[in-house]
Amino acid sequence: MPPGPPVDTNPEDQETSATLSADLKASCLNLRSEIDTYQSLLASTLRNPQLVEARQFRSNVNSELKMLEKLERQMESATQRDDAQKGEGVKRFDLDLEVEKRLLHALRSSNLPFYQSVWDIAKGTCSGLTALGKRFYWDDELQSQPKAAKKKGAKKSDGVAGQGEKQPNKDKRNSVFVDIVSDDGAEWVKVSTVTQDRLLFEMAKNCWQWEPDSDDEEGEDIKVEDRVLHMNRRTRNMYGDDGDDKLELIRLAVDLRKAADATLVGYKHPRIRVVLPRIEQGNVPEIDDIIEEMRSWGMDVDCKKSLQLTTHSGLEHLLPHPFKKFTSTLNVDCTLLLAMVSDLSHFKDIPPEPHFHRAILRQIEVEKQKPLLLTELWPAMGDRKLVCTKEAAGRMREIVETIGTETEKTRTQIMMGDSSYGQLDHTAMLQKFQELSDYEVPTEWKFPIIVVDAQSTFESNSTRGRLPSVEQELAKELSDINYSVFMYGWFNDLTTISSNRTINKQIESTVEKHRNGDSSLKGPKIWICDTARSLVGKDKDRKA
């Protein structure tokens, strides 16, 4: 994580390096403890805790602690040396003062207040964290567009979902570092601890000031929006300029806008929020102009007075919430139908067999750490109604009948409501299914899964009349089964759950390629499970 700007401090005369060091060290230890608590919470609740990028932030805080401990040792060494010299009658007042000034300067230059601000803002204003520090990139062609095309609301060239992620050979100069990624990726938060005096100094250094046009009447009060319009023209002229005559905050706003325009989360660009905890709006008109200029680039700007931190009893609100936007009915892909009946998902102890495919051996080891049903699938499904297309159900039955074990075949019959099982009530079906699982099956899990006819939906005139033209492109690219599954969910505005990450990326890419400037276009609602499960009955030579 790049360091925040040095914190300007006006300490009281009585402040010493010893007291400041003690305060900073105590704060650092407390901050590290809270982050450790959060990481422990991630490890105990998430199937893959690494999906939340917090390790680097913790490492940065730990580096600050090591720096403080090093300065503490230097102070102890200086004190011992001074005591020895005083015992010898040597006067070291001037040298003592110089050492004290140097230590105070080092302590006041600590980035700990910045990291503390980031953590406090995350705790008090965010939920659903996916990263505490992440770099996002944009493509070179964005810079070559006309300036008007870069402004918010203007049309951009076709992009590709995930474009903001790190790619091979990406130029770091075409990137921006975001301090907090929250709302499950939908919001970016950038924190700047710049002070009013520091910002005014930078403005003066860069000759950044609003001057009325020559035809303005002398002494006439100029409206804020007129000053902002004038500054907008200045910024437009400097957009893409390699020179240094741009304010840091304006450069930051421009870079955030470019990176957000190159990144998509659920077919939407992330929201941007810049937090200035040491700036008060309404005190200095020139600074207010800078803030309004930043907002004109399509982002929220929170200042000291407008920043409201909420106190929470714990850190659970910071956990990702991937299921919060699920529809009340879920459309289940074939990959997860198989996972729900696999012996790998239900038996805790499956001895490795010589004929097991290496993928099955990997899945057995993964299951020992984080059981898929307990940690991901059952929480995702909850008490929602479950449906699947005829094509998905047919493919799943074909695979089970071909290579499934007897227990996998029986689970399939119960889950899909086959033969005599379909006549049982939910409680009886639950009991039958429980007999085939080492895990407690949640009572709210709704099965049998309802099989739907996707083709009748596709042939409906009312349905086809409201579909975007990109659907025709997807029809050319997707296999029959994938088209039936993912398009059924799209046509009926349902969340489709799957582990087919490749198809999901293909759909996202096709939608973006054929967006044609339509910023409102959205593709299917798809949730991708972190991993899949094979059937135990696979032969060694079969593909996993």
Side-chain angles (χ1 to χ4, degrees):
M1 175 180 292
V7 178
D8 297 332
T9 309
N10 293 315
E12 299 292 338
D13 293 339
Q14 64 269 25
E15 183 180 50
T16 65
S17 59
T19 57
L20 180 56
S21 175
D23 290 344
L24 286 173
K25 185 177 179 181
S27 297
C28 196
L29 287 170
N30 182 67
L31 176 56
R32 191 179 67 170
S33 176
E34 288 195 32
I35 298 170
D36 287 344
T37 300
Y38 175 58
Q39 288 188 306
S40 296
L41 182 62
L42 291 174
S44 64
T45 56
L46 297 187
R47 176 174 184 77
N48 182 7
Q50 305 306 322
L51 292 176
V52 179
E53 302 177 36
R55 289 185 300 173
Q56 186 58 50
F57 185 77
R58 200 266 187 192
S59 177
N60 291 337
V61 173
N62 202 50
S63 295
E64 287 298 310
L65 179 60
K66 290 180 179 178
M67 183 274 291
L68 292 171
E69 290 173 340
K70 179 180 179 180
L71 291 176
E72 189 177 51
R73 290 193 296 271
Q74 290 179 3
M75 281 186 283
E76 292 175 354
S77 176
T79 301
Q80 293 172 359
R81 185 174 61 251
D82 289 347
D83 289 343
Q85 292 174 340
K86 288 177 182 177
E88 297 173 358
V90 179
K91 294 184 178 180
R92 307 288 294 177
F93 177 79
D94 291 339
L95 183 57
D96 291 347
L97 183 59
E98 188 64 30
V99 170
E100 175 72 2
K101 289 171 61 177
R102 186 169 65 249
L103 289 171
L104 277 173
H105 175 74
L107 290 167
R108 292 168 185 165
S109 299
S110 169
N111 283 311
L112 179 62
F114 171 74
Y115 297 135
Q116 185 69 61
S117 292
V118 170
W119 179 244
D120 289 343
I121 290 165
K123 285 195 307 177
T125 70
C126 300
S127 63
L129 298 190
T130 61
L132 281 169
K134 186 178 180 68
R135 186 168 296 278
F136 292 89
Y137 293 76
W138 62 85
D139 284 340
D140 291 336
E141 55 263 25
L142 186 63
Q143 289 207 19
S144 64
Q145 296 177 34
K147 292 182 174 61
K150 298 174 184 176
K151 185 68 177 76
K152 181 191 175 189
K155 294 182 179 180
K156 304 179 291 297
S157 61
D158 293 333
V160 177
Q163 190 174 346
E165 299 294 332
K166 174 65 173 171
Q167 302 294 334
N169 302 320
K170 279 285 189 179
D171 189 345
K172 194 173 182 180
R173 291 173 297 181
N174 292 347
S175 71
V176 68
F177 192 87
V178 177
D179 297 310
I180 307 166
V181 183
S182 63
D183 194 15
D184 299 290
E187 181 186 51
W188 291 358
V189 182
K190 184 66 182 177
V191 180
S192 173
T193 52
V194 65
T195 64
Q196 174 178 296
D197 291 343
R198 177 77 171 268
L199 184 53
L200 288 173
F201 174 79
E202 186 183 356
M203 292 169 67
K205 180 181 177 181
N206 288 277
C207 300
W208 185 282
Q209 60 182 355
W210 175 81
E211 296 178 359
D213 293 334
S214 57
D215 56 352
D216 288 331
E217 294 184 14
E218 184 176 357
E220 181 181 359
D221 291 336
I222 305 301
K223 296 180 179 179
V224 171
E225 53 266 31
D226 293 333
R227 291 200 300 270
V228 172
L229 178 61
H230 177 81
M231 296 183 72
N232 281 345
R233 290 197 297 268
R234 287 174 56 96
T235 306
R236 301 297 173 266
N237 292 335
M238 289 189 291
Y239 194 112
D241 179 26
D242 293 332
D244 294 329
D245 56 339
K246 251 190 300 185
L247 294 183
E248 180 180 345
L249 284 180
I250 298 300
R251 288 198 303 270
L252 175 63
V254 171
D255 289 349
L256 285 168
R257 182 75 271 154
K258 287 190 286 189
D261 285 349
T263 305
L264 287 162
V265 179
Y267 302 98
K268 290 183 178 180
H269 297 297
R271 305 185 309 275
I272 305 172
R273 179 159 60 99
V274 179
V275 182
L276 307 174
R278 306 189 71 186
I279 296 290
E280 290 190 14
Q281 190 172 5
N283 287 349
V284 182
E286 290 79 8
I287 290 181
D288 292 348
D289 292 341
I290 297 297
I291 294 172
E292 293 304 323
E293 165 69 0
M294 296 174 68
R295 288 172 176 157
S296 76
W297 287 90
M299 60 194 64
D300 293 331
V301 181
D302 287 341
C303 299
K304 186 175 182 179
K305 290 182 179 178
S306 63
L307 184 62
Q308 300 294 326
L309 299 180
T310 302
T311 301
H312 297 269
S313 58
L315 301 175
E316 286 77 9
H317 65 289
L318 297 181
L319 293 172
H321 302 97
F323 317 137
K324 68 178 181 180
K325 296 182 180 179
F326 277 17
T327 51
S328 58
T329 297
L330 298 180
N331 176 37
V332 187
D333 183 23
C334 176
T335 58
L336 294 189
L337 292 175
L338 291 169
M340 286 188 281
V341 301
S342 171
D343 284 346
L344 297 177
S345 302
H346 290 278
F347 292 154
K348 295 181 179 179
D349 186 16
I350 299 180
E353 298 288 344
H355 69 275
F356 281 174
H357 189 282
R358 62 181 180 275
I360 294 180
L361 296 175
R362 288 198 303 268
Q363 292 174 22
I364 290 175
E365 291 303 313
V366 172
E367 270 291 312
K368 292 178 180 178
Q369 303 297 323
K370 295 285 185 179
L372 177 63
L373 288 172
L374 269 64
T375 60
E376 197 151 4
L377 287 189
W378 279 335
M381 291 182 287
D383 62 352
R384 297 175 177 86
K385 179 182 177 181
L386 304 176
V387 302
C388 71
T389 66
K390 285 183 178 180
E391 291 79 2
R395 179 58 176 158
M396 176 253 201
R397 291 179 187 276
E398 177 186 343
I399 295 173
V400 172
E401 287 302 315
T402 302
I403 62 172
T405 64
E406 289 304 313
T407 48
E408 289 170 339
K409 292 177 181 178
T410 304
R411 286 194 203 94
T412 298
Q413 294 169 3
I414 299 173
M415 190 177 75
M416 304 306 291
D418 290 356
S419 60
S420 59
Y421 296 110
Q423 305 303 318
L424 302 177
D425 60 23
H426 183 265
T427 301
M429 291 181 69
L430 189 69
Q431 182 178 353
K432 292 289 185 182
F433 200 91
Q434 181 65 75
E435 294 172 358
L436 302 174
S437 180
D438 290 343
Y439 301 107
E440 183 177 354
V441 182
T443 56
E444 66 271 18
W445 184 36
K446 291 189 175 179
F447 66 98
I449 296 176
I450 300 172
V451 179
V452 296
D453 184 2
Q455 292 303 319
S456 62
T457 300
F458 301 155
E459 294 168 1
S460 170
N461 291 330
S462 60
T463 298
R464 300 203 69 83
R466 66 172 185 265
L467 292 178
S469 59
V470 70
E471 176 269 335
Q472 300 175 15
E473 299 297 329
L474 290 170
K476 300 175 185 177
E477 299 177 4
L478 300 179
S479 65
D480 290 343
I481 183 174
N482 286 328
Y483 184 85
S484 74
V485 171
F486 293 98
M487 294 303 100
Y488 177 82
W490 195 13
F491 289 7
N492 292 278
D493 198 27
L494 300 179
T495 300
T496 298
I497 61 175
S498 171
S499 65
N500 198 333
R501 191 177 302 274
T502 300
I503 295 299
N504 181 44
K505 290 296 183 182
Q506 181 182 353
I507 293 173
E508 289 181 341
S509 177
T510 300
V511 170
E512 291 310 309
K513 183 178 179 181
H514 296 86
R515 182 176 291 276
N516 297 324
D518 182 2
S519 60
S520 64
L521 178 62
K522 299 179 183 178
K525 299 175 182 177
I526 302 172
W527 174 76
I528 297 298
C529 179
D530 185 47
T531 184
R533 287 293 174 267
S534 306
L535 299 182
V536 167
K538 282 183 179 289
D539 295 331
K540 185 177 181 181
D541 294 331
R542 287 181 180 271
K543 291 184 178 180

